[in-house]
Amino acid sequence: MSQPSLKRAAIRTLSRVVRRVVIGRVPGLFDTAYYLKHNGDVAASGIDPYLHYVWRGAAENRDPAEDFDTAFFRNQSGKTRLDPVRHYLRFGSAAGLDPHPGFSSTSYLIRYPDVTASGVNPLLHYRTNGRREGRVAQPSAAKTMNISALRSVPSRHLRSLPEEGRPFSMTLLRAFPAGDTFESVKRYCFLLKLTHDEIALLVNAFDTMPTSGHTAITLEVSADTDARGEAEPHDARPKLDTVLFAFEHCYVAAQGDSLRIRYAELRLWDLREQEARVAEIFPAGAVEFRI
């Protein structure tokens, strides 16, 4: 064996021991073969691939697998103590963070309650079983940006609407129905894909509700994109934008297809620009979603 080969073998053995002692097992979402194939310097050095990812690779935005975009995930999570793969497995998916622009953790868990009940990470399930079973992975609604409102929001408090094939309605309420059993929630978020006209109608409704005299204002959103609004020029489909509704310090009551929220403040985040920003802030109120 040549001197360089002996050196690589020694580095491989030593770094593997270090990784096992300091980090532990290689997570199931880390694709060793993919990492070595796309990082020739790591393969040539002999260093343990996952140790390299934790030590330097993540900071350099190297991807640990074909379906995990490190830069995309870090833009959502911000700085974390763990590397992106372990953070996503332990905390990220539950907080509604997505590992790749083509995969929505929250949508997958909502669409498949059996996966939620099993406690298996949504991407890991999709990779090992879901794709083979014909399950659908929806694109992430998050852009390559850091959306602070989504930090620490568990997946059960984050919904993306409309869900595939299912319309929904949103009703602003003047009085909150009595007798419901409430859950106190710090923040409940909705990522809504709406046309420009629908966004304008919602903003106007929240803006005028306190002084309108109406007892309720309802917006119904079809699941049929072609039926919503006017199409863009040279396009057969209307243009949709994703906006984030963050209901702050609220009480939530869920019953059947109804979700009622009484909130202290509503923040409307505009995600259309490269940097997410709070576009509107509305005072306390109540709203009901029917999904």
Side-chain angles (χ1 to χ4, degrees):
M1 186 179 290
S2 65
Q3 192 69 23
S5 297
L6 286 171
K7 183 178 179 180
R8 279 197 301 272
I11 291 174
R12 183 180 301 111
T13 300
L14 179 60
S15 63
R16 187 174 298 168
V17 171
V18 171
R19 188 260 301 161
R20 287 175 176 172
V21 172
V22 177
I23 302 172
R25 294 181 178 180
V26 177
L29 285 180
F30 185 83
D31 187 335
T32 298
Y34 176 91
Y35 197 76
L36 290 174
K37 179 180 178 181
H38 290 83
N39 297 282
D41 57 327
V42 179
S45 71
I47 190 172
D48 181 88
Y50 185 57
L51 178 64
H52 180 274
Y53 179 73
V54 173
W55 174 44
R56 292 185 59 180
E60 296 170 350
N61 286 331
R62 304 197 192 200
D63 295 334
E66 184 177 8
D67 53 10
F68 197 108
D69 186 320
T70 296
F72 181 77
F73 183 81
R74 292 176 70 210
N75 279 332
Q76 298 167 78
S77 69
K79 187 176 181 179
T80 60
R81 181 177 61 84
L82 297 174
D83 65 273
V85 172
R86 285 186 295 168
H87 186 274
Y88 175 66
L89 285 168
R90 295 188 189 182
F91 310 110
S93 62
L97 305 184
D98 297 329
H100 189 275
F103 188 87
S104 168
S105 304
T106 300
S107 295
Y108 195 79
L109 291 173
I110 291 173
R111 188 181 183 92
Y112 302 111
D114 60 316
V115 179
T116 304
S118 71
V120 177
N121 177 271
L123 179 60
L124 187 60
H125 180 276
Y126 180 69
R127 186 192 291 180
T128 56
N129 295 303
R131 185 185 288 111
R132 173 172 48 82
E133 294 169 355
R135 305 205 189 203
V136 177
Q138 293 184 323
S140 171
K143 294 184 179 180
T144 53
M145 59 177 67
N146 187 2
I147 307 174
S148 60
L150 295 181
R151 293 181 189 172
S152 303
V153 175
S155 58
R156 67 182 184 279
H157 296 157
L158 175 64
R159 301 291 297 267
S160 296
L161 299 176
E163 296 171 358
E164 186 174 340
R166 298 178 62 185
F168 75 94
S169 67
M170 185 176 181
T171 301
L172 283 63
L173 303 171
R174 181 169 298 281
F176 203 72
D180 286 329
T181 301
F182 302 112
E183 175 190 5
S184 178
V185 176
K186 181 179 179 181
R187 179 180 295 134
Y188 205 110
C189 293
F190 287 86
L191 286 164
L192 305 179
K193 287 190 176 181
L194 303 171
T195 66
H196 292 174
D197 288 344
E198 288 166 344
I199 294 172
L201 284 171
L202 269 180
V203 169
N204 183 66
F206 278 104
D207 204 29
T208 60
M209 182 64 180
T211 58
S212 67
H214 295 296
T215 57
I217 300 176
T218 299
L219 172 69
E220 295 184 351
V221 179
S222 169
D224 181 4
T225 305
D226 293 330
R228 294 164 61 190
E230 294 294 326
E232 293 291 303
H234 313 297
D235 192 348
R237 301 170 67 88
K239 178 175 172 56
L240 299 180
D241 285 312
T242 299
V243 291
L244 171 65
F245 280 70
F247 296 94
E248 307 285 345
H249 305 289
C250 46
Y251 292 95
V252 179
Q255 184 176 7
D257 64 353
S258 171
L259 184 68
R260 295 169 179 166
I261 302 175
R262 184 173 64 193
Y263 54 90
E265 183 179 84
L266 167 61
R267 296 191 173 199
L268 170 61
W269 287 72
D270 186 349
L271 309 183
R272 290 173 290 186
E273 303 298 330
Q274 185 60 33
E275 293 295 329
R277 65 182 182 87
V278 177
E280 301 279 352
I281 298 179
F282 302 101
V287 65
E288 179 181 22
F289 286 86
R290 287 195 172 273
I291 304 168

